[in-house]
Amino acid sequence: CAGGFSGAVTAAGGVESTVNFGLSVLPSNVAVAGLFVIGCFISTSMGTSVGTIIALAPIAIGISEKTGISMPLCIGATVCGAMFGDNLSMISDTTIAATRTQGCGMKDKFRENFKIALLPAIVTAVLFYLSTRGVNYKPTEALTYDFIRIIPYLVVLIGAMVGLNVFLLLTGGTVLSLAIGLFYGDFAFLDIFKIMGEGITGMYDITVISIIVAGVVSLVRQNGGIDWVLYIIRKCIRGRKGAEVGIAALSSMVDCSTANNTVAIVIAGPIAKEIAEDYKISPQRTASLLDIFTSVFQGIIPYGAQLLYAAAATEMALTPVSSIEIVRYCYYPILLGVSALLFIAFGKKEA
């Protein structure tokens, strides 16, 4: 459903209208910080970090070339915004994986995450503003947008935040996007199935991988592998906070090994659930820790899909950059990791 919605809203011009609307209302002297903010909204609404990077990277390149601002800095702002929603969105595959492996509600996990993610997002926006203070960006092309095309995003985002059924929201958002596209003549009626199919196809890989990984994890559990991992982890941790650090370390290491945060959550999820039950950690906090720390490292490893796509987008630019050059400007994932560790160390004990 998330794939179908993404395909429909993109075909109906929702992404382009949202980007142009954001650039139109934001002052020109905060263009790079604005990229981050727009990226936060789009990624939270779409539930895909890679899709957000693909949508915003051309604008980031244009800002860099027309203002002289560092290309890695502009692309870094796009990656930061993309990772914000990848971690928080209720229709992100990472959120779905984290909540399903831990057996908690998406709304509960969102609330747990938001407490940790808000301050890093604010600090990141401030850092991008200070880094580009005094530089103005004047778009040469007309920033045309239609607010009606943005409505499906708002419906899904607000509905999910207030706790409405995500499956029904995505279905309704898809139908609304398709209706808007048909009304404006963006595509013909018979193209509807092709558009939805292309969006759904984008989810095939992760679906098949998740099924295979779930099978492998079950085999490992049957042969005592999970018990062995739990034995090693238990030897290294003491108390509830130590257990939370153990879950964070486990999910981080698996993500660095697989370079895919959804797959990392599916692999680490069963082990994290066992640890959480032993040390009385709530399912929503465990899901939040899994999602946060896999997203942290997914946003800074130069061989992950996000940074590779971001670097690939600059290949036709005047000054192409490598994924390694972008890492130093990935402020948000780094600050999110710091915030999560402080939350573990000094956060209130759960009731």
Side-chain angles (χ1 to χ4, degrees), residues 18-334:
T18 302
V19 171
N20 288 348
F21 173 73
L23 291 175
S24 298
V25 300
L26 289 169
S28 59
N29 62 339
V30 296
V32 177
L35 267 179
F36 168 68
V37 174
I38 295 169
C40 289
F41 177 79
I42 293 178
S43 60
T44 304
S45 304
M46 289 177 64
T48 166
S49 53
V50 172
T52 301
I53 290 169
I54 292 172
L56 289 181
I59 298 172
I61 293 169
I63 291 175
S64 174
E65 293 181 344
K66 293 170 185 176
T67 61
I69 298 174
S70 164
M71 180 74 75
L73 175 63
C74 292
I75 295 294
T78 300
V79 173
C80 288
M83 295 314 299
F84 177 87
D86 188 271
N87 171 235
L88 273 176
S89 175
M90 294 195 196
I91 60 173
S92 168
D93 48 4
T94 60
T95 294
I96 294 169
T99 54
R100 289 294 176 249
T101 58
Q102 303 308 308
C104 66
M106 293 185 182
K107 185 171 68 173
D108 297 329
K109 182 257 184 190
F110 176 85
R111 289 172 176 168
E112 195 76 22
N113 260 33
F114 192 72
K115 294 184 292 186
I116 301 172
L118 180 60
L119 182 59
I122 294 172
V123 174
T124 298
V126 171
L127 286 174
F128 281 125
Y129 170 71
L130 294 176
S131 300
T132 57
R133 187 171 44 183
V135 178
N136 290 323
Y137 168 65
K138 301 291 184 183
T140 54
E141 68 280 1
L143 295 174
T144 57
Y145 64 89
D146 190 329
F147 194 78
I148 293 177
R149 298 180 188 270
I150 305 174
I151 291 177
Y153 279 144
L154 296 175
V155 169
V156 172
L157 180 60
I158 295 172
M161 290 179 66
V162 299
L164 298 181
N165 184 279
V166 176
F167 175 79
L168 295 178
L169 275 176
L170 287 174
T171 303
T174 302
V175 172
L176 182 59
S177 298
L178 293 172
I180 290 172
L182 288 172
F183 177 79
Y184 282 102
D186 297 316
F187 44 80
F189 180 79
L190 293 179
D191 292 330
I192 286 177
F193 301 102
K194 177 184 176 183
I195 289 167
M196 292 180 61
E198 290 174 349
I200 293 170
T201 300
M203 302 295 285
Y204 281 177
D205 290 348
I206 196 65
T207 302
V208 173
I209 290 172
S210 296
I211 292 171
I212 294 172
V213 167
V216 171
V217 170
S218 294
L219 288 173
V220 171
R221 177 191 296 277
Q222 190 68 25
N223 288 281
I226 299 292
D227 292 335
W228 180 81
V229 173
L230 288 171
Y231 171 74
I232 297 299
I233 292 176
R234 287 177 183 130
K235 286 183 64 177
C236 300
I237 59 179
R238 295 290 185 275
R240 189 183 61 83
K241 291 186 183 294
E244 291 181 353
V245 172
I247 292 171
L250 173 68
S251 54
S252 300
M253 289 187 292
V254 176
D255 183 73
C256 290
S257 302
T258 61
N260 186 304
N261 44 345
T262 305
V263 173
I265 290 171
V266 173
I267 293 174
I271 301 174
K273 186 174 178 63
E274 297 261 6
I275 297 172
E277 290 173 350
D278 284 352
Y279 290 91
K280 305 296 186 293
I281 303 171
S282 69
Q284 60 263 29
R285 180 169 293 191
T286 308
S288 177
L289 291 173
L290 280 171
D291 203 345
I292 284 175
F293 282 96
T294 52
S295 293
V296 165
F297 283 89
Q298 191 65 27
I300 59 177
I301 53 174
Y303 51 90
Q306 286 75 5
L307 287 177
L308 289 177
Y309 269 104
T314 69
E315 288 179 358
M316 302 303 292
L318 297 176
T319 55
V321 299
S322 69
S323 58
I324 295 175
E325 294 177 89
I326 302 171
V327 173
R328 62 182 294 192
Y329 298 107
C330 293
Y331 302 139
Y332 176 73
I334 296 170

